[in-house]
Amino acid sequence: MKTNSERMCVICRDKKNKADLFRIVEKNEDGKYILDENQIVQKRGQYVCKTHECINRLSKHKKIKMEIEELLKMLNLLKKNTKDYLKILKAMKNSQELVFGMNMIFDEIEKIHFIIIAEDISEKNDKRIIVKAKEKNIPYVHYGKKNELGDIFNKEEINVIAVKNKKVARGLIE
């Protein structure tokens, strides 16, 4: 018997494997939700992508209310499970495999295999880059702040960095 382990994120509406999502359940009648870390609570659950973007949007959600402690738990779990992209990118900064900045990335979009987006990017630019990434089927992740990404290239701030090398991109994704 085959089970369907694909669920939809209540925030971005993307369908993903259950293992790639956080499960949240309503705690009681007060309407507050808690993280079901082991996905075993016997209540109807909702699913949220394991991304900074979706957790950030969840924190502002009008219908799904979560305590700050629960959101922090999710962020800490996310941090444990992600690579330190900043260290990897710093080591690669002099290679010709990275491009940064919205315009340069859009100019070279056909050569790009992975995108790292600053967590504090403006909502407008975030949407622009995500739409283009989805359109071109390019994986992306939200990681670090604009000033942290900027430090890699001795700039004040950088919104987004992209990887042009397919093998390097695969290593960052896996």
Side-chain angles (χ1 to χ4, degrees):
M1 188 174 159
K2 203 173 169 185
T3 60
N4 182 6
S5 63
E6 203 173 72
R7 301 289 185 268
M8 187 189 312
C9 172
V10 293
I11 303 300
C12 69
R13 314 302 283 171
D14 279 354
K15 285 189 177 183
K16 294 185 178 179
N17 193 306
K18 254 173 74 168
D20 297 327
L21 299 163
F22 287 119
R23 183 173 188 261
I24 57 174
V25 294
E26 202 167 349
K27 189 167 68 174
N28 48 27
E29 301 78 47
D30 68 357
K32 299 260 192 236
Y33 281 75
I34 59 169
L35 173 64
D36 179 11
E37 203 172 327
N38 298 316
Q39 300 193 358
I40 55 171
V41 174
Q42 293 295 311
K43 286 187 172 185
R44 184 169 291 280
Q46 306 273 3
Y47 292 86
V48 179
C49 291
K50 291 183 179 180
T51 65
H52 289 282
E53 178 191 13
C54 284
I55 295 170
N56 185 31
R57 286 176 55 198
L58 174 66
S59 71
K60 300 170 189 165
H61 204 278
K62 291 187 181 5
K63 290 182 181 162
I64 302 173
K65 302 206 181 334
M66 291 197 70
E67 301 283 344
I68 190 73
E69 295 82 13
E70 296 297 311
L71 290 165
L72 286 173
K73 258 194 242 179
M74 293 167 84
L75 288 170
N76 285 331
L77 286 168
L78 188 60
K79 195 171 263 181
K80 275 186 209 170
N81 295 331
T82 55
K83 297 179 182 188
D84 189 348
Y85 292 109
L86 295 177
K87 282 183 186 172
I88 297 166
L89 293 171
K90 246 179 208 167
M92 292 176 55
K93 79 175 183 179
N94 293 324
S95 74
Q96 300 300 305
E97 306 302 338
L98 300 178
V99 281
F100 60 87
M102 300 283 288
N103 294 337
M104 286 177 65
I105 288 172
F106 287 142
D107 289 347
E108 297 200 42
I109 198 75
E110 298 301 326
K111 300 175 190 167
I112 291 174
H113 299 283
F114 184 58
I115 301 173
I116 296 109
I117 306 168
E119 294 166 1
D120 55 347
I121 190 172
S122 73
E123 203 169 314
K124 179 183 151 201
N125 283 336
D126 193 41
K127 280 184 181 154
R128 272 182 64 209
I129 198 81
I130 289 172
V131 163
K132 190 58 98 173
K134 286 182 176 178
E135 181 185 299
K136 298 290 183 182
N137 230 356
I138 302 169
Y140 64 90
V141 65
H142 287 82
Y143 192 87
K145 305 275 185 236
K146 290 190 290 192
N147 64 325
E148 293 173 320
L149 296 181
D151 285 345
I152 294 169
F153 295 98
N154 300 319
K155 304 273 184 206
E156 201 169 305
E157 289 183 342
I158 290 178
N159 285 319
V160 60
I161 299 174
V163 179
K164 295 194 293 184
N165 183 294
K166 203 173 198 168
K167 284 183 185 175
V168 172
R170 199 175 313 127
L172 287 168
I173 295 163
E174 291 169 355

